[in-house]
Amino acid sequence: MEEPEYAPELDPEHEQAAGWRGFSTLGLFLEEDGWYPQRVDDRPAYRMHYQGANVDIRCLAQIKLEQEQLLIYAYAPMKVPEDKRSLVAEYLTRANYGLHIGNFELDFNDGEVRFKSSLDFEDETLTFIWIRNTIYPSVHLMNRYFPGLMMVMYGEKTPAEAITVIEQ
């Protein structure tokens, strides 16, 4: 009988074992919660989608192994044109003000907009409740603020006007 291949990520003495356990828990949560995750080949992460009332959202759920951190990204389905990035940055800054969990980010290089929430579970066991409480704010807030993003991108509203519409 052949011995199983050594899997350092499962060894409790391995320096990243807690991170790998967190990744395993993340995968179980996503499966059981109906996210239909797809494993990302080159890192401990999953891709998935969320259909909101306002937008179809691409998501990434990633574990930072050494840091024992969970990162959730909810991506807008389009990129902001270069000439609109300053206005969108103002809108996202206004949206970020007062948020309790997570924040919007804009990549000025390519126009990507995403919402990020994260959790540090160092020296703790990552749980389904913590994952749920990290992932759902990301998708719900991207869904909520997306119409305002479109208003600003297409010149229908100023950033201040769009925030007023969305937050009423």
Side-chain angles (χ1 to χ4, degrees):
M1 180 182 255
E2 198 173 315
E3 273 191 40
E5 189 175 320
Y6 175 63
E9 65 271 10
L10 301 178
D11 181 347
E13 300 300 316
H14 186 267
E15 64 187 50
Q16 296 176 348
W20 283 109
R21 280 192 303 277
F23 181 63
S24 177
T25 302
L26 174 62
L28 288 172
F29 170 83
L30 294 171
E31 286 289 338
E32 289 184 20
D33 203 47
W35 285 87
Y36 305 102
Q38 297 176 339
R39 174 81 195 265
V40 176
D41 291 335
D42 61 341
R43 57 190 158 153
Y46 294 99
R47 285 187 185 95
M48 59 270 187
H49 285 85
Y50 178 84
Q51 182 60 54
N54 298 317
V55 63
D56 184 23
I57 302 166
R58 292 181 305 115
C59 302
L60 180 75
Q62 179 178 358
I63 297 290
K64 293 294 212 176
L65 298 172
E66 289 182 27
Q67 298 87 354
E68 297 173 21
Q69 296 171 340
L70 167 64
L71 301 171
I72 304 291
Y73 296 101
Y75 294 89
M78 75 313 146
K79 304 234 175 159
V80 177
E82 192 169 352
D83 64 329
K84 299 291 185 180
R85 291 181 191 160
S86 292
L87 285 171
V88 167
E90 180 186 341
Y91 172 74
L92 297 176
T93 300
R94 290 175 180 276
N96 280 334
Y97 187 78
L99 291 180
H100 300 287
I101 297 175
N103 61 281
F104 284 96
E105 300 178 333
L106 169 65
D107 184 335
F108 267 91
N109 292 321
D110 68 3
E112 178 180 81
V113 174
R114 66 187 184 187
F115 189 91
K116 176 184 72 183
S117 58
S118 57
L119 173 72
D120 185 331
F121 62 94
E122 184 178 5
D123 298 327
E124 298 291 335
T125 300
L126 185 61
T127 66
F128 279 18
I129 292 170
W130 286 355
I131 296 168
R132 183 187 70 227
N133 292 347
T134 306
I135 197 169
Y136 279 101
S138 291
V139 294
H140 289 162
L141 288 165
M142 176 59 80
N143 184 66
R144 177 181 180 194
Y145 284 91
F146 184 76
L149 175 63
M150 294 289 91
M151 290 175 203
V152 172
M153 257 181 53
Y154 291 104
E156 297 170 19
K157 303 270 185 213
T158 67
E161 292 168 340
I163 285 296
T164 299
V165 169
I166 296 304
E167 293 184 347
Q168 283 182 345

